[in-house]
């Protein structure tokens, strides 16, 4: 049994070392390993880099998992990054949630943590995005598309109708695997 443990540990260490060099082409049962970077060769021969997110737990709701994934990657490389001042306010966690966004989203069910804890908990933070969009998308006649969600998220209620948010939507689409996401 000790030999099996050593072999397993050696394989895991090798996989981690291989993946931290950002050249990881290996996978486990054809699924990416969460938290590792993968280089994908596209049909046109170009290469894109993508974080293995299949096993991450995004909250279900009106916003698609693909859109949440793209926003998460755009805002934090889908990591619990703590807090940072962006513009004039503090933004935290996976989606760089502001305190104002959290205050709005916590009025609906599913938010059981304070602002900073929720922001750095992927399930809670994605539930906050779901709640926020449930509150504002229809009210401001924003489309239930990743573009509408991204623009509304970026600039707050009615952000989807603000021409200054289109550049953010273009930036979300530049995230590998996010061009044309719905």
């Amino acid at each position: 049994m000790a030999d099996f443990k050593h072999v397993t540990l050696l394989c895991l260490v090798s996989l981690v070392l291989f993946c931290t060099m950002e050249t990881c082409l290996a996978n486990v049962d054809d699924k990416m390993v969460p938290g590792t970077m993968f280089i994908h060769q596209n049909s046109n021969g170009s290469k894109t880099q993508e974080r293995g997110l299949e096993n991450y737990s995004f909250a279900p709701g009106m916003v698609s998992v693909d859109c949440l994934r793209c926003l998460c990657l755009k805002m934090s490389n889908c990591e619990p990054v703590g807090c940072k001042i962006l513009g004039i306010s503090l933004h935290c966690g996976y989606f760089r949630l502001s305190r104002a966004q959290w205050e709005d989203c916590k009025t609906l069910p599913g938010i059981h943590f304070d602002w900073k804890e929720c922001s750095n908990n992927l399930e809670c933070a994605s539930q906050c995005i779901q709640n926020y969009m449930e509150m504002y998308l229809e009210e401001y006649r924003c489309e239930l598309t990743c573009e509408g969600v991204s623009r509304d998220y970026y600039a707050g209620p009615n952000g989807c109708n603000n021409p200054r948010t289109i550049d953010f939507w273009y930036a979300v689409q530049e995230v590998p695997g996010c061009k044309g996401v719905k």
Side-chain angles (χ1 to χ4, degrees):
M1 192 65 151
D3 290 329
F4 178 74
K5 286 181 184 177
H6 289 281
V7 170
T8 302
L9 181 59
L10 181 59
C11 287
L12 287 173
V13 168
S14 297
L15 180 63
V16 169
L17 289 175
F18 187 58
C19 290
T20 57
M21 294 168 44
E22 297 186 351
T23 57
C24 190
L25 298 172
N27 57 41
V28 179
D29 297 328
D30 294 326
K31 292 183 181 175
M32 290 192 275
V33 178
T36 58
M37 297 302 290
F38 290 80
I39 306 296
H40 296 284
Q41 187 157 358
N42 299 321
S43 58
N44 65 4
S46 67
K47 293 182 178 179
T48 58
Q49 192 174 16
E50 188 172 303
R51 179 170 285 290
L53 297 176
E54 280 78 9
N55 295 325
Y56 281 32
S57 182
F58 292 107
M62 65 189 314
V63 180
S64 73
V65 170
D66 288 338
C67 185
L68 288 171
R69 176 186 152 281
C70 292
L71 280 173
C72 191
L73 286 167
K74 170 63 183 141
M75 297 311 294
S76 69
N77 203 26
C78 220
E79 295 178 1
V81 293
C83 298
K84 180 179 180 180
I85 294 179
L86 300 174
I88 60 170
S89 60
L90 195 60
H91 295 258
C92 300
Y94 286 97
F95 294 96
R96 298 287 189 189
L97 293 172
S98 69
R99 184 171 187 92
Q101 288 169 319
W102 179 79
E103 289 288 342
D104 283 347
C105 78
K106 76 174 187 170
T107 62
L108 295 176
I111 307 301
H112 307 289
F113 297 103
D114 72 23
W115 166 44
K116 291 179 183 177
E117 286 177 307
C118 181
S119 297
N120 285 292
N121 175 297
L122 185 57
E123 193 165 337
C124 185
S126 59
Q127 183 64 57
C128 191
I129 298 292
Q130 295 285 12
N131 289 1
Y132 191 81
M133 293 307 149
E134 188 176 322
M135 292 176 70
Y136 293 118
L137 276 183
E138 287 184 33
E139 181 178 340
Y140 290 98
R141 296 192 174 106
C142 296
E143 290 184 26
L144 181 53
T145 62
C146 197
E147 178 180 351
V149 167
S150 296
R151 293 176 68 187
D152 209 51
Y153 160 78
Y154 184 69
N158 205 29
C160 65
N161 296 308
N162 182 336
R164 289 182 272 174
T165 61
I166 195 69
D167 286 340
F168 178 73
W169 169 237
Y170 293 151
V172 169
Q173 290 185 91
E174 292 297 318
V175 173
C178 294
K179 185 75 172 173
V181 73
K182 298 292 180 198

